[in-house]
Amino acid sequence: MADKELTPNQIEFLSWDVMSEVLRIIAEDVFIADLEPGGGQYDCLSLVTSTPEIVLMLNRNGTSAASGGESESVSGIWERAITMDTRETALHIMSELNLPADNEYAKHNRELIKICKRIAYWVRSGSKGLGKAKCCWVDGTYGAGPAGHLLSQVVIPESWKLLDAPYRGSDWSALIYAMTLGDEKLGDKVVGLVNMKTGEAINPDGSSWVEWQKPLPAVARIVPRNRKLGGGPKIMQVPYIAPHPDGVAAFRTLKNFNGYKVMGEDLAPISNAIAEQWYEDETLPTEVDQLKGTLFYMSRKAKFIDGFPDEEDVPFLQALVAAIAASEK
């Protein structure tokens, strides 16, 4: 299947998803940037250093990836992302472009990875396939500077304006991405702003964008359809972020325990209360059925929330396993 069969929204989604996977392994201190090389001919979701040096560009007006210092490029990246998966595509791009890799950088880039995943979800599902994420720092054909047409639509927190520029020649606005929808009058209507450094998200009136921080459900993944059956890409509702293996290992300790039978209607409220208490002060109850019920409830949650549990969820699950073991001695 040719990349040109994908819609701009689908490519936008894939660009953020692939970038999140690159950030898991790339061994450089980098920042997200929107670049338009070739006099605006290209639209590249990019990674740059603070100097700034271009490390990686994913071209959404085409089908290739390139690094700033090399003439080589990797073609067919969007087709690869839908026929293989975004993680494999990220590894392929980095290998072909000889970019340095280190799995430890997943911890370093943890917040940025989460933000990229949330943007990918919003582009694909939250905006109902109509949205685009746009940087509030414009670096294009006619010069560089804050994107006034975006920033003027939103009440900006004063604390954001005090943040250091992510790379030389920019300012704080280069850390801010606007979630936009097409609009006849405004061109791009801002429905929310996301701070790529702090992870904060706000509504146009400056209030907290509560929906942004909610756990992500499964997202529609783009998979190829046999042309003989007609149509372009087929959309299937399947998870695309794998749960953390240590979380899966914790669930296996439950064996045949069924929280629904043991706790009934109390399962959800008790489990949620136990989770809230642990995240507040890291304490757990001693009642073994409550501990097992909470772990069971978390295993059910993993069936419906894409990417759960992730690395930050694992300590809580492992604490449950340890408490259960201690209670059964």
Side-chain angles (χ1 to χ4, degrees):
M1 190 183 77
D3 289 321
K4 64 182 181 181
E5 294 179 336
L6 295 171
T7 68
N9 178 269
Q10 289 166 347
I11 292 176
E12 171 88 357
F13 159 71
L14 290 170
S15 70
W16 286 100
D17 205 24
V18 169
M19 190 62 81
S20 74
E21 299 299 339
V22 170
L23 286 166
R24 291 184 187 276
I25 50 177
I26 192 162
E28 288 198 52
D29 290 329
V30 290
F31 304 90
I32 298 282
D34 273 358
L35 301 178
E36 299 179 355
Q41 180 180 357
Y42 306 106
D43 169 24
C44 298
L45 184 61
S46 307
L47 292 178
V48 301
T49 65
S50 60
T51 52
E53 174 189 352
I54 299 173
V55 177
L56 176 64
M57 296 182 291
L58 305 178
N59 182 20
R60 293 177 291 207
N61 276 354
T63 66
S64 64
S67 58
E70 303 291 338
S71 58
E72 290 85 0
S73 64
V74 184
S75 62
I77 59 173
W78 309 130
E79 181 175 359
R80 191 179 191 95
I82 61 172
T83 55
M84 304 293 285
D85 61 54
T86 52
R87 182 163 298 183
E88 191 280 339
T89 301
L91 290 168
H92 175 71
I93 289 170
M94 292 188 63
S95 175
E96 292 297 303
L97 296 179
N98 294 313
L99 298 177
D102 185 343
N103 287 330
E104 288 299 310
Y105 265 70
K107 297 178 182 177
H108 178 75
N109 293 325
R110 180 183 302 167
E111 190 62 40
L112 195 51
I113 292 168
K114 283 186 175 181
I115 296 170
C116 287
K117 288 292 187 184
R118 289 189 181 280
I119 291 177
Y121 171 77
W122 182 84
V123 166
R124 188 77 196 93
S125 297
S127 72
K128 303 186 186 304
L130 300 173
K132 184 175 178 62
K134 293 196 170 186
C135 187
C136 290
W137 175 267
V138 178
D139 190 351
T141 306
Y142 302 105
H149 67 294
L150 301 176
L151 295 172
S152 63
Q153 300 179 45
V154 182
V155 178
I156 309 294
E158 290 300 316
S159 60
W160 288 17
K161 300 176 184 179
L162 300 177
L163 295 172
D164 293 333
Y167 49 89
R168 190 173 60 204
S170 67
D171 67 14
W172 62 270
S173 61
L175 290 168
I176 313 304
Y177 267 76
M179 302 303 111
T180 67
L181 296 174
D183 184 87
E184 290 184 3
K185 294 182 178 179
L186 298 172
D188 296 308
K189 180 181 179 181
V190 177
V191 299
L193 287 189
V194 177
N195 189 315
M196 305 294 281
K197 184 175 182 64
T198 67
E200 298 171 284
I202 61 172
N203 295 307
D205 64 3
S207 62
S208 176
W209 190 355
V210 177
E211 289 293 322
W212 183 265
Q213 304 296 348
K214 290 186 177 180
L216 297 180
V219 71
R221 181 184 175 192
I222 307 163
V223 296
R225 166 181 279 178
N226 188 322
R227 289 185 184 181
K228 292 181 180 180
L229 299 178
K234 180 182 179 183
I235 308 302
M236 297 182 66
Q237 192 75 12
V238 296
Y240 77 110
I241 310 172
H244 196 286
D246 291 344
V248 176
F251 296 148
R252 292 197 186 103
T253 65
L254 285 167
K255 298 180 180 177
N256 295 322
F257 181 85
N258 188 323
Y260 294 126
K261 290 184 177 180
V262 175
M263 299 177 67
E265 294 181 356
D266 293 332
L267 177 65
I270 289 177
S271 297
N272 286 327
I274 289 173
E276 289 177 9
Q277 188 64 41
W278 188 88
Y279 280 106
E280 182 176 331
D281 59 16
E282 295 191 0
T283 62
L284 290 170
T286 57
E287 172 58 46
V288 68
D289 280 347
Q290 289 186 356
L291 294 168
K292 285 186 175 181
T294 302
L295 187 58
F296 174 85
Y297 184 71
M298 296 300 140
S299 73
R300 296 301 93 188
K301 182 178 176 181
K303 298 291 185 181
F304 300 101
I305 298 179
D306 198 25
F308 178 85
D310 65 12
E311 186 176 6
E312 291 189 349
D313 301 310
V314 168
F316 172 55
L317 301 179
Q318 291 180 334
L320 286 172
V321 172
I324 292 167
S327 298
E328 292 182 330
K329 285 184 179 179

